[in-house]
Amino acid sequence: MRVVIAEDSVLLREGLTRLLTDRGHDVVAGVGDGEALIKTIAELDGQDLLPDVVVADVRMPPTHTDEGVRAAVQLRKSHPGVGVLVLSQYVEERYATELLAGSSRGVGYLLKDRVAEVREFVDAVVRVAEGGTALDPEVVAQLLGRSRKQDVLAGLTPREREVLGLMAEGRTNSAIARQLVVSDGAVEKHVSNIFSKLGLSPSDGDHRRVLAVLTYLNS
């Protein structure tokens, strides 16, 4: 897959580049701020060489506040076919919500600590590049926590809430079954109950299912 990395720390940017190239992926550009990221994507688009995914830090120069995530949101609007995975030092709920607004296809939000878990990180980058979703469990926990405060999950059982959290991370039914050590059939039943209780129509497509869950969480 083709990757563009936007990270102002040269050490981390080079580390991510090495990590991905060692696994056979092509890092076509590395930039240090949001403006450079937007410019680079526009140039690649003009050459018909768009990347499959952009990995971007939430905070970048010049103010080190929200330049990275604002660039990511802009890219999701201007180039919806390019996956966007943002990295953050800690969960910033407002940024996560802004990034996830609308379609959840090809989007991810991970804490930087997750990069240390190399296989998990690379799997997340590939999943987002392929149009899937990759959400850090801490992000999901906070979104679900906010929802619980609003009593919007009041009708779900504890197990259904657990399944919903794993669904929101982008996991398939089989992956959820392995995580919870239950049968695929049991997970399918939980998923069916969740959609029914939330008034959401079940879908055969995993991405559409995640979109429904995230739309609910952001409502």
Side-chain angles (χ1 to χ4, degrees):
M1 71 185 169
R2 292 167 50 79
V3 186
V4 169
I5 297 175
E7 167 60 58
D8 64 297
S9 166
V10 176
L11 184 61
L12 180 54
R13 187 167 70 236
E14 292 301 319
L16 292 174
T17 299
R18 178 66 180 272
L19 189 155
L20 291 168
T21 55
D22 282 353
R23 283 154 183 78
H25 302 300
D26 185 11
V27 177
V28 297
V31 299
D33 61 70
E35 184 176 341
L37 173 59
I38 296 299
K39 181 179 179 181
T40 296
I41 295 300
E43 292 174 348
L44 290 172
D45 191 10
Q47 301 170 39
D48 198 26
L49 294 173
L50 279 175
D52 299 297
V53 61
V54 168
V55 179
D57 190 359
V58 165
R59 298 173 180 267
M60 288 194 290
T63 68
H64 293 279
T65 54
D66 62 353
E67 282 83 358
V69 75
R70 283 196 286 108
V73 170
Q74 183 177 334
L75 285 178
R76 280 177 55 72
K77 293 177 180 177
S78 63
H79 297 83
V82 177
V84 174
L85 174 63
V86 300
L87 302 177
S88 181
Q89 196 67 42
Y90 50 88
V91 178
E92 301 184 78
E93 191 174 305
R94 177 169 63 87
Y95 296 154
T97 301
E98 185 176 5
L99 185 70
L100 297 170
S103 173
S104 67
R105 181 174 175 79
V107 64
Y109 188 115
L110 295 181
L111 296 183
K112 286 188 175 180
D113 288 348
R114 204 67 57 187
V115 177
E117 301 172 28
V118 175
R119 180 176 178 180
E120 185 174 340
F121 171 70
V122 175
D123 285 349
V125 176
V126 172
R127 190 157 70 246
V128 171
E130 294 176 344
T133 306
L135 295 183
D136 197 286
E138 289 297 321
V139 175
V140 175
Q142 286 206 20
L143 292 177
L144 286 173
R146 181 188 62 186
S147 297
R148 277 196 289 271
K149 293 173 187 176
Q150 299 169 349
D151 290 329
V152 289
L153 300 184
L156 301 184
T157 67
R159 176 63 91 180
E160 288 166 353
R161 291 185 183 186
E162 192 172 10
V163 170
L164 178 58
L166 293 171
M167 286 167 58
E169 288 179 26
R171 301 185 188 232
T172 63
N173 282 3
S174 296
I176 294 173
R178 290 194 297 271
Q179 177 73 18
L180 300 180
V181 194
V182 297
S183 69
D184 287 2
V187 172
E188 290 173 6
K189 183 176 180 180
H190 288 311
V191 171
S192 178
N193 289 341
I194 289 168
F195 278 111
S196 177
K197 291 180 179 180
L198 300 185
L200 300 170
S201 299
S203 169
D204 292 331
D206 188 51
H207 302 320
R208 292 175 65 88
R209 179 181 74 170
V210 174
L211 173 59
V213 173
L214 293 176
T215 298
Y216 166 73
L217 291 175
N218 288 324
S219 64

